[in-house]
Amino acid sequence: MEEIKKIPQRSELAEKDTWAISDIYPTDEAWEQDLEHFKALTQKQAAFAGRISASAKELLAYLQGTEEAVILIENLANYAMRKNDEDTRVSKYQAMVGRFMSAYVAFNAATSFETPELLSISDETMEQFYADAPELTAYRRYLNDIRRRKEHVLSPVEEKLLAAAGEMASAPDNIYGLFADADLTFPDVTDSKGNTLPLSQGAFVPYEESSDRVLRKNTYEALYHTLGSFKNTAAGILAAQVKQLQFFADARKYPSSLDAALDVTNV
């Protein structure tokens, strides 16, 4: 393993060793423009409420808009979150992630009518829709995946309420990320030759994969001793996450949070 003398600041790295985030957006301003476009698209998609079950044409137009929204979501999220990951202490990008999450939750709430309305379409009508608009077959798998979870879908009002709780539900994960990646610092560790090495969350795995048993032992103890000194905070974050998962599992009538998690990917 190449010896790590110092954990560099990102500004000290060669550009070739950093993410090419400019491939997503060349500037923060370009990201801002797409965020506004996403908000406008949210309003456009919300206007389809009560219409997507009316005809194949309306359903197709809605799904095409949703596809555009998904691409925007992936680009907006990746740019904001990767910029935040570069240095989780930078408030500008913490705020950018927060603004994206607010817009994303608003989109989910505005389109929460989708699943209940899709489930109201009979199998016979859906097949007729595919015949009326052959372009819909590109979305058949997406539609089938929604329709298979019928017993776990709530009323439109209840679905909108759950969607609106999305930002609050992500709080335990967000808090842990800031705690572990921004606030925590770890002591240096020594290897079998007496060399002092800097320890971080990123360096932990490379050190644990070292052939040097002394380094592996010191690394493990240093990281977990540090985490252990905040055991009450860590336990509180974990308890909040468990309660969040159980709440949504109960709301959707799953026997457990594990069943709910596996059903998302049809395992």
Side-chain angles (χ1 to χ4, degrees):
M1 182 188 73
E2 182 180 352
E3 186 174 309
I4 302 174
K5 299 291 186 181
K6 171 179 174 286
I7 297 175
Q9 295 293 318
R10 191 178 187 280
S11 59
E12 299 173 331
L13 297 175
E15 185 177 353
K16 66 182 179 65
D17 295 325
T18 63
W19 289 320
I21 295 180
S22 59
D23 288 353
I24 305 176
Y25 293 109
T27 63
D28 291 352
E29 289 70 27
W31 183 90
E32 295 284 355
Q33 290 175 5
D34 253 7
L35 181 65
E36 292 307 309
H37 176 48
F38 176 57
K39 291 178 180 178
L41 184 58
T42 295
Q43 298 306 311
K44 178 182 176 182
Q45 291 300 98
F48 278 95
R51 294 162 48 192
I52 62 175
S53 58
S55 69
K57 180 181 178 181
E58 292 283 0
L59 178 57
L60 177 61
Y62 173 78
L63 291 174
Q64 289 171 336
T66 297
E67 186 173 9
E68 181 184 356
V70 168
I71 293 171
L72 283 170
I73 288 167
E74 290 180 351
N75 288 340
L76 290 166
N78 262 306
Y79 184 86
M81 292 178 181
R82 299 299 76 77
K83 293 294 286 186
N84 185 52
D85 287 341
E86 289 175 3
D87 188 339
T88 54
R89 300 166 297 182
V90 177
S91 59
K92 175 181 179 180
Y93 294 113
Q94 290 178 16
M96 187 178 280
V97 171
R99 290 169 57 216
F100 162 73
M101 285 303 302
S102 293
Y104 177 58
V105 169
F107 175 81
N108 285 338
T111 59
S112 60
F113 64 85
E114 175 189 301
T115 299
E117 193 166 341
L118 285 175
L119 294 178
S120 72
I121 304 172
S122 69
D123 291 341
E124 293 76 17
T125 300
M126 185 62 75
E127 289 304 318
Q128 185 60 52
F129 280 3
Y130 288 128
D132 294 341
E135 301 97 322
L136 272 176
T137 58
Y139 302 99
R140 184 186 285 269
R141 184 176 183 276
Y142 173 77
L143 294 169
N144 287 346
D145 199 47
I146 290 175
R147 290 165 68 82
R148 74 172 173 81
R149 298 201 299 268
K150 184 174 184 177
E151 64 180 293
H152 302 293
V153 175
L154 309 180
S155 70
V157 172
E158 291 169 318
E159 286 291 337
K160 187 171 185 177
L161 185 62
L162 289 185
E167 192 169 7
M168 178 177 62
S170 67
D173 185 60
N174 294 338
I175 292 169
Y176 176 76
L178 292 171
F179 169 65
D181 298 326
D183 293 339
L184 274 184
T185 57
F186 300 96
D188 293 341
V189 294
T190 56
D191 61 18
S192 59
K193 298 179 181 178
N195 297 314
T196 300
L197 305 174
L199 177 61
S200 68
Q201 294 266 20
F204 178 75
V205 171
Y207 290 172
E208 286 298 292
E209 292 176 342
S210 168
S211 60
D212 188 332
R213 185 179 185 278
V214 172
L215 177 60
R216 295 200 307 273
K217 180 176 183 292
N218 290 341
T219 296
Y220 185 90
E221 291 178 348
L223 186 133
Y224 283 102
H225 175 76
T226 302
L227 289 172
S229 64
F230 295 94
K231 61 184 178 182
N232 295 319
T233 298
I237 295 171
L238 177 60
Q241 176 71 356
V242 169
K243 290 176 181 177
Q244 178 261 115
L245 294 172
Q246 191 60 53
F247 169 79
F248 283 96
D250 290 343
R252 295 198 176 281
K253 302 178 178 63
Y254 285 101
S256 71
S257 58
L258 177 61
D259 286 281
L262 293 177
D263 194 41
V264 171
T265 51
N266 200 16
V267 175

